[in-house]
Amino acid sequence: MQIHITVRQALLFVTILLFRAVSSQVSYSIPEEMAKGSLVGSVAQDLGLDVKRLRLGNGRVYSGDSSDYVELNAERGVLLVKERIDREALCGDTTPCALHFQIVLENPMEFYSVTVEITDINDNAPTFEKAEIKFLISESSAVGAKFDLERAVDLDVGINTLQSYVLKPSGHFLLKLQNHADGTKNVEMVLQKPLDREKNEFISLVLTAVDGGEPQMSGTMQILITVLDANDNAPVFTQPIYKATVSENSAKGTVVTTVSASDADQGLNGKITYSITSTMDEVRQIFEVNEENGEVTLIGRLDYEKKKLFQINVRARDNGGLTDSCKVMVDVVDINDNEPVIKIMSKSTVISESANPNTVVTMINIQDPDAGKNGNVQCFLNEDIPFILKLTTNNFYSLVTEGELDRERDSEYNITVTCSDEGVPSLSSSVTLTLQISDVNDNPPVFERSSYEAYIVENNTPGVSIFTVKARDADWNQNARVSYILEDSSVNGVPVSSYVSVSADSGVIHAVKSFDYEQIKDFQFIIKAQDGGSPPLSSNVTVKILIQDQNDNPPQVLYPVQTGGSMVAEMVPRSADVGYLVTKVVAVDVDSGQNAWLSYKLQKATDRALFEVGLQNGEIRTIRQVTDKDAVKQRLTVIVEDNGQPSRSATVIVNVAVADSFPEVLSEFSEFPHNKEYNDNLTFYLVLALAVVSFLFITCLVVIISVKIYRWRQSRILYHSSLPVIPYYPPRYSDTLGTGTLPHVYNYEVCRTTDSRKSESKFGRAGSQNMLIMDPSSTGTMQRIQNETNILDEPDSPLEVTASLSTYRSLMLTL
Ligand SMILES: *[C@@H]1O[C@H](CO)[C@@H](O)[C@H](O)[C@H]1NC(C)=O
Ligand SMILES: *[C@@H]1O[C@H](CO)[C@@H](O)[C@H](O)[C@H]1NC(C)=O
């Protein structure tokens, strides 16, 4: 078909040329790109030339440099395409595009102009210089932003050349063509919808350029858009509030929690740093947030008791300055790290022993700042004390007495209050309160013994201390200060205070006077002990004082009565047998006990072999047969000793006459040599006494006569009554020697004279062979008897007394 059309066109041009043949000019029009040898035109015919002529004329094409495209076929008289003709190469975009050449004939030389117009066919597609172009566009670019695109090129002309562009996919960008003054079109794409890198980071578009040819041709170019990030997203925490718990006292560096925020942006715009926003409190001294990873760590010490809950404001910030914030609520968990604190609220540490049960001693305050069980406190006291703890109000205990107090039993208490909480492990603490019990005068003084007996030896010096009574008072201080008071009483009608005194402070009993056992053997009185309390308490004790005998009295010889130098002799008949009782020494001792226990010993004797003295009874007996050779005068010295310590003694001289008749005795005794040592001393007294004696002698004669008469009468009574007559013993003299002391009954007859030499006594006798002559002028041993009987106040009134031992057991003295 193409060829048909071309032929028809060629024919049309030939016709025109024929019409113009006269001008020897011919034109043809052929499309470009015709195949080699294709007919351009029947030039011989169109020029009116004969083919022969052409052949002969050696017709040829003359065309400068374009001769290569078309050649002349002289044989056929036609022009043929010698070489492919590319209009675009030949003319570019110049239109119309024509080849101008001449056909030259020789013989004769003639030439004809031929013009061959080359018409365009759509043999070129629009093309872009690059297959793709790249853009970097910020996501923050505003709508309406323009971006230049490259144009496409289509070598064809006219309708075959570039007609329009298409951009696909559409959405973010629109194409906009801009017509320039030179007729070229500029291609731009315009942002019509905001970009979001976070949604679409890479956008790929295809720009297609199309021409208007038939068939249409096109070229494409890829547009690659990279959306650049803009900091259009703020960081966002994963939670608005984070909750965490951490135990108090946790170590530094403990991670409490981790906060996390995200940022959709990229790179630096998405790089988050964490920080704690400024707060007034001390949170920043305690917590730290890692700015890179959001770890919240502990850098300070947590004390539940100071703060239980922390609120940390954490901010996340990206590099572009966008922020978000969150709260971290940290609950501090209690640890049992506080022991209970015990406070004793009163300062007083003294309570009276008379305090009633339930008396409040003190209040005690307990504090444990820990929470829950860790702060639940139980308190108790040490055991075995009369106190209890009572819970009064929360955390307050009162310490009260539980029973009676007695200072005398326990004067102080160490009260230990121990409190422990219920934590695991439990913590406890304790406080010790020393409570003093003050004294009340509730105890009377108590004597160490219920009664006292004390001894004092007679003849004490007045004022000597006898004994000490002691009373103790269990109370304290003044209440226990004991004074001793002698209670008034009387002893034998005399106030006791004249016997003894008591030292109020010391309780020492002093003798006020010297005691005589022989007068008073014991007495008793009451001492009161009184304390210094108010009112005072007292108690009594009986004190009995026993006076002890002292050997202060020597034995007293009652018989034989000592006459000094005078002669009293016992008669011993020469016919006396062994064991003949010569006489009996009778002595008494007013002391008592051992001090009055007498013993008799022979101290000296003319002939020791003849006599002995009974140690116990004082009986003097012969121990061998008396012979004629024995002297008439025998002198025995008997010592009477008591058993006291030291012992006291008395001596008695017993003269014994060994003779059968009284005159024999007298003759012997008248020559009895005087004791020389007495002679000198006595001479003076004898002379002096002589005058007195002379006077008394007369008196004595009268007495003797009276006595004789009296005795005569008396002896008659005696014979009738047959009563034994025994010597007189002092009333105090009990029969210590037993009834054996005086086994015989004696009857004495005494004549008292001041002159022992001249006086003589005649003893009446009943059933006794003994005869005694004695001189009672030595009255020393008889003093007591005189004092007690008052009988001998008048020496001139002799008495003859008889008594019956068996009837009265009393002693009688016959003078
Ligand atoms: C109380 O404690 C003190 C000091 O430890 C001690 O001297 C005292 O003897 C104690 N008293 C009692 C009654 O235990
Ligand atoms: C002590 O003795 C006195 C006098 O005998 C008497 O009045 C008093 O009541 C006695 N006191 C006591 C505690 O026995």
Side-chain angles (χ1 to χ4, degrees):
M1 278 304 278
Q2 183 110 17
I3 294 171
H4 278 292
I5 292 166
T6 311
V7 171
R8 200 179 294 147
Q9 281 177 334
L11 287 175
L12 181 61
F13 274 108
V14 169
T15 311
I16 296 167
L17 287 173
L18 283 176
F19 179 69
R20 287 183 176 186
V22 241
S23 59
S24 308
Q25 208 174 3
V26 65
S27 294
Y28 297 102
S29 177
I30 60 168
E32 60 176 334
E33 304 287 348
M34 288 190 65
K36 204 175 182 182
S38 299
L39 178 71
V40 177
S42 302
V43 73
Q45 185 184 346
D46 294 337
L47 287 174
L49 293 172
D50 186 14
V51 179
K52 277 184 197 170
R53 171 67 184 133
L54 286 177
R55 201 168 50 229
L56 293 171
N58 201 9
R60 56 182 167 94
V61 171
Y62 174 75
S63 63
D65 40 325
S66 64
S67 58
D68 289 329
Y69 294 109
V70 178
E71 64 180 351
L72 177 68
N73 189 327
E75 305 274 317
R76 290 169 53 203
V78 292
L79 285 171
L80 296 175
V81 174
K82 184 189 175 186
E83 213 173 300
R84 190 185 70 90
I85 302 165
D86 184 4
R87 191 203 66 82
E88 285 78 21
L90 201 62
C91 305
D93 52 2
T94 307
T95 52
C97 179
L99 292 173
H100 297 282
F101 57 88
Q102 281 80 32
I103 294 173
V104 179
L105 290 176
E106 293 173 10
N107 296 333
M109 184 72 157
E110 300 175 278
F111 68 92
Y112 300 94
S113 290
V114 178
T115 300
V116 177
E117 187 189 11
I118 309 300
T119 59
D120 185 44
I121 66 169
N122 193 18
D123 60 347
N124 286 288
T127 55
F128 290 95
E129 192 182 353
K130 296 175 186 165
E132 60 174 35
I133 57 171
K134 292 180 177 173
F135 285 99
L136 297 173
I137 303 173
S138 167
E139 61 175 326
S140 62
S141 300
V143 170
K146 293 176 185 170
F147 303 92
D148 259 335
L149 300 178
E150 282 189 34
R151 286 174 293 176
V153 173
D154 194 331
L155 293 178
D156 293 330
V157 294
I159 192 81
N160 289 333
T161 194
L162 180 68
Q163 295 300 317
S164 64
Y165 294 94
V166 178
L167 184 64
K168 285 190 175 164
S170 61
H172 285 289
F173 293 97
L174 272 185
L175 263 189
K176 192 171 177 192
L177 299 181
Q178 205 140 29
N179 292 314
H180 281 272
D182 62 353
T184 59
K185 286 178 178 168
N186 226 358
V187 185
E188 291 172 331
M189 58 181 188
V190 179
L191 187 63
Q192 65 162 2
K193 187 176 149 198
L195 293 173
D196 186 357
R197 187 201 66 81
E198 287 72 35
K199 277 190 195 151
N200 231 342
E201 186 171 0
F202 299 105
I203 299 173
S204 175
L205 302 174
V206 176
L207 182 65
T208 306
V210 291
D211 61 16
E214 189 70 35
Q216 197 175 44
M217 299 188 79
S218 63
T220 60
M221 180 178 69
Q222 188 122 34
I223 301 171
L224 295 174
I225 299 171
T226 302
V227 182
L228 291 181
D229 187 51
N231 192 23
D232 56 349
N233 286 286
V236 177
F237 277 104
T238 54
Q239 291 168 241
I241 294 174
Y242 293 83
K243 291 199 166 160
T245 56
V246 60
S247 323
E248 64 172 325
N249 301 337
S250 288
K252 288 179 186 178
T254 302
V255 176
V256 177
T257 187
T258 302
V259 296
S260 169
S262 58
D263 191 312
D265 292 328
Q266 202 185 24
L268 291 178
N269 291 334
K271 180 163 166 50
I272 296 173
T273 54
Y274 299 94
S275 61
I276 295 177
T277 53
S278 62
T279 44
M280 292 305 285
D281 55 25
E282 77 283 57
V283 163
R284 278 201 274 195
Q285 269 98 60
I286 296 177
F287 297 99
E288 181 183 70
V289 65
N290 183 311
E291 58 172 44
E292 299 287 335
N293 60 19
E295 258 179 13
V296 179
T297 52
L298 198 61
I299 56 167
R301 213 187 89 84
L302 285 178
D303 187 354
Y304 174 87
E305 287 70 41
K306 282 192 188 146
K307 198 159 176 173
K308 301 175 177 56
L309 176 68
F310 286 91
Q311 176 179 323
I312 311 170
N313 295 323
V314 179
R315 176 196 286 159
R317 183 181 193 276
D318 65 20
N319 254 16
L322 297 179
T323 60
D324 189 16
S325 62
C326 71
K327 281 178 182 153
V328 180
M329 312 295 286
V330 180
D331 272 315
V332 182
V333 177
D334 185 44
I335 295 280
N336 193 19
D337 59 346
N338 288 284
E339 55 196 32
V341 176
I342 305 170
K343 284 182 186 147
I344 292 182
M345 298 178 69
S346 83
K347 297 270 182 284
S348 158
T349 55
V350 177
I351 185 171
S352 164
E353 64 175 322
S354 63
N356 291 324
N358 266 336
T359 303
V360 176
V361 178
T362 183
M363 300 288 290
I364 294 171
N365 177 226
I366 317 288
Q367 287 166 353
D368 190 327
D370 290 323
K373 291 209 158 209
N374 294 339
N376 277 2
V377 177
Q378 300 294 330
C379 292
F380 50 90
L381 295 178
N382 51 328
E383 289 177 358
D384 301 332
I385 54 172
F387 299 95
I388 49 172
L389 272 185
K390 280 187 182 168
L391 185 65
T392 44
T393 58
N394 214 9
N395 296 335
F396 282 92
Y397 285 88
S398 49
L399 177 67
V400 301
T401 58
E402 191 188 25
E404 302 283 347
L405 299 175
D406 185 2
R407 191 202 64 82
E408 286 72 37
R409 192 180 62 228
D410 294 298
S411 64
E412 67 171 18
Y413 290 95
N414 285 338
I415 303 170
T416 302
V417 182
T418 306
C419 296
S420 35
D421 60 29
E422 292 172 4
V424 179
S426 160
L427 293 177
S428 68
S429 59
S430 64
V431 161
T432 296
L433 164 74
T434 299
L435 185 67
Q436 306 284 344
I437 310 299
S438 67
D439 189 44
V440 165
N441 191 23
D442 54 356
N443 287 283
V446 175
F447 282 99
E448 284 171 341
R449 286 156 60 178
S450 58
S451 66
Y452 290 93
E453 257 185 23
Y455 297 86
I456 180 167
V457 178
E458 60 175 333
N459 302 322
N460 56 289
T461 51
V464 74
S465 74
I466 304 173
F467 183 65
T468 305
V469 293
K470 185 95 189 131
R472 299 196 183 281
D473 192 307
D475 291 324
W476 184 74
N477 207 4
Q478 190 66 24
N479 291 339
R481 183 159 299 159
V482 178
S483 313
Y484 301 93
I485 299 158
L486 182 62
E487 289 279 347
D488 273 343
S489 62
S490 64
V491 176
N492 296 340
V494 180
V496 73
S497 55
S498 61
Y499 282 85
V500 289
S501 67
V502 177
S503 158
D505 287 343
S506 60
V508 176
I509 300 171
H510 294 275
V512 170
K513 64 176 206 171
S514 177
F515 297 115
D516 183 358
Y517 174 83
E518 284 72 35
Q519 278 181 26
I520 184 165
K521 290 192 170 58
D522 57 59
F523 61 97
Q524 64 180 36
F525 51 89
I526 290 174
I527 290 179
K528 179 164 85 172
Q530 176 171 303
D531 65 24
S534 173
L537 297 174
S538 65
S539 58
N540 288 343
V541 74
T542 305
V543 181
K544 182 171 186 180
I545 302 287
L546 297 161
I547 297 158
Q548 282 185 320
D549 184 43
Q550 210 181 28
N551 196 18
D552 56 346
N553 291 290
Q556 295 160 21
V557 178
L558 301 181
Y559 181 84
V561 178
Q562 292 299 287
T563 58
S566 72
M567 279 299 111
V568 177
E570 303 288 340
M571 291 254 305
V572 176
R574 289 193 184 272
S575 59
D577 287 335
V578 175
Y580 176 84
L581 177 63
V582 179
T583 185
K584 180 178 167 79
V585 177
V586 177
V588 294
D589 193 315
V590 292
D591 294 324
S592 66
Q594 295 273 320
N595 294 335
W597 187 20
L598 302 180
S599 60
Y600 305 84
K601 282 173 200 155
L602 189 59
Q603 196 182 36
K604 275 195 285 186
T606 313
D607 184 351
R608 273 196 169 272
L610 189 52
F611 302 102
E612 66 167 9
V613 177
L615 182 66
Q616 304 293 330
N617 53 21
E619 287 175 353
I620 300 172
R621 290 174 186 273
T622 58
I623 51 176
R624 67 171 169 80
Q625 190 72 43
V626 181
T627 65
D628 292 342
K629 289 174 193 159
D630 289 323
V632 174
K633 290 186 292 184
Q634 294 285 338
R635 185 182 165 95
L636 306 178
T637 309
V638 174
I639 180 163
V640 182
E641 285 183 335
D642 63 23
N643 204 29
Q645 273 305 335
S647 76
R648 287 172 173 262
S649 63
T651 56
V652 61
I653 293 166
V654 179
N655 291 316
V656 178
V658 182
D660 286 328
S661 66
F662 195 64
E664 188 185 355
V665 176
L666 279 181
S667 63
E668 279 296 322
F669 275 78
S670 60
E671 290 160 23
F672 203 89
H674 283 111
N675 196 331
K676 287 227 177 354
E677 56 186 279
Y678 287 119
N679 285 346
D680 296 338
N681 294 332
L682 287 175
T683 305
F684 169 73
Y685 296 107
L686 286 173
V687 173
L688 186 66
L690 196 56
V692 181
V693 167
S694 301
F695 166 73
L696 288 175
F697 180 70
I698 296 161
T699 312
C700 191
L701 281 178
V702 176
V703 170
I704 287 169
I705 293 163
S706 308
V707 167
K708 284 293 178 186
I709 297 165
Y710 181 78
R711 192 175 161 267
W712 174 77
R713 288 218 308 258
Q714 196 67 33
S715 61
R716 291 181 67 87
I717 298 167
L718 192 65
Y719 287 130
H720 286 295
S721 67
S722 299
L723 288 173
V725 177
I726 59 166
Y728 169 78
Y729 284 83
R732 303 185 68 102
Y733 185 75
S734 60
D735 187 8
T736 53
L737 299 180
T739 52
T741 309
L742 296 170
H744 301 285
V745 178
Y746 295 95
N747 194 2
Y748 300 114
E749 192 171 273
V750 179
C751 177
R752 287 185 48 120
T753 68
T754 51
D755 185 359
S756 59
R757 289 300 301 262
K758 300 272 175 62
S759 68
E760 49 184 358
S761 299
K762 185 84 161 125
F763 288 85
R765 191 183 83 76
S768 169
Q769 66 272 58
N770 283 5
M771 197 67 165
L772 179 71
I773 300 167
M774 56 188 293
D775 184 353
S777 66
S778 170
T779 58
T781 56
M782 298 301 287
Q783 219 153 21
R784 184 177 297 276
I785 301 169
Q786 290 169 0
N787 291 342
E788 292 182 5
T789 61
N790 290 325
I791 293 171
L792 298 180
D793 284 348
E794 289 178 24
D796 301 293
S797 56
L799 291 172
E800 197 171 296
V801 180
T802 59
S804 167
L805 178 63
S806 61
T807 307
Y808 305 106
R809 301 296 294 170
S810 62
L811 298 170
M812 301 294 288
L813 173 65
T814 304
L815 291 172

